[in-house]
Amino acid sequence: MRLDKFEIITNNPLVCKTISRINHTQENTLYDVLTVARDRIHLGAKIISHPLAGSVKPHETPYRSIILSNSSDELDFQSLNTLEQAIERYQVLCKNNPDHLTQTSADIIERYEEKKRNDFQLIDFQLIKSSLSSFGLHLD
């Protein structure tokens, strides 16, 4: 599959800096990432990487990236359902800390020490790299 058929919606600076061969949209908050991905699905995109992928709980990491395939003009109801369920799951898990979904880059820098931010970025990056690899797309 061609790289120009993919888009990454992310708030992870490492993904933006490292993955230059694939179109990406950099968003500021987790909630932005989720809602922009949902909007793209309404325009015909399909989810390639699950929005809840990985072993880090959504309410514990400030970074998330979602890969979409821009190969259709039709609404993919399965992708839409998956994303809507992910948004609901995020809201439930962040109930005790609702600001987590709307943390800006500045908030993340203030809240997490650099090593922890780097670790969260790397985990998200590895998940994206693995998803791309499963489609035979390698970044190295």
Side-chain angles (χ1 to χ4, degrees):
M1 195 172 267
R2 296 177 14 201
L3 292 176
D4 63 344
K5 295 290 184 185
F6 292 98
E7 179 181 13
I8 300 173
I9 313 295
T10 186
N11 69 333
N12 183 344
L14 180 61
V15 169
C16 293
K17 182 173 76 172
T18 309
I19 303 175
S20 60
R21 296 179 5 203
I22 297 175
N23 292 332
H24 62 273
T25 300
Q26 185 171 4
E27 295 300 327
N28 200 28
T29 70
L30 274 172
Y31 191 71
D32 292 340
V33 169
L34 295 167
T35 57
V36 167
R38 180 189 59 204
D39 293 348
R40 296 287 200 281
I41 290 168
H42 278 284
L43 296 173
K46 293 183 182 182
I47 288 180
I48 299 298
S49 66
H50 198 287
L52 296 173
S55 60
V56 178
K57 295 179 180 120
H59 62 289
E60 293 176 350
T61 181
Y63 299 109
R64 182 60 60 184
S65 300
I66 301 172
I67 303 172
L68 301 174
S69 170
N70 296 313
S71 60
S72 175
D73 290 327
E74 294 181 19
L75 177 60
D76 180 60
F77 287 101
Q78 183 175 355
S79 291
L80 182 60
N81 186 44
T82 298
L83 196 47
E84 290 289 350
Q85 287 178 357
I87 290 171
E88 288 176 20
R89 187 74 180 138
Y90 268 94
Q91 290 170 333
V92 167
L93 290 171
C94 295
K95 191 172 166 181
N96 293 334
N97 183 13
D99 293 341
H100 183 75
L101 282 172
T102 56
Q103 289 181 99
T104 64
S105 299
D107 296 333
I108 292 168
I109 289 170
E110 185 179 308
R111 181 172 179 192
Y112 299 98
E113 62 185 47
E114 183 177 9
K115 182 181 180 341
K116 198 166 192 175
R117 285 193 317 268
N118 291 341
D119 288 347
F120 283 137
Q121 289 175 24
L122 183 61
I123 291 167
D124 180 63
F125 172 75
Q126 291 296 341
L127 290 169
I128 291 304
K129 189 176 174 183
S130 175
S131 290
L132 291 170
S133 197
S134 71
F135 279 87
L137 303 169
H138 302 283
L139 301 174
D140 323 271

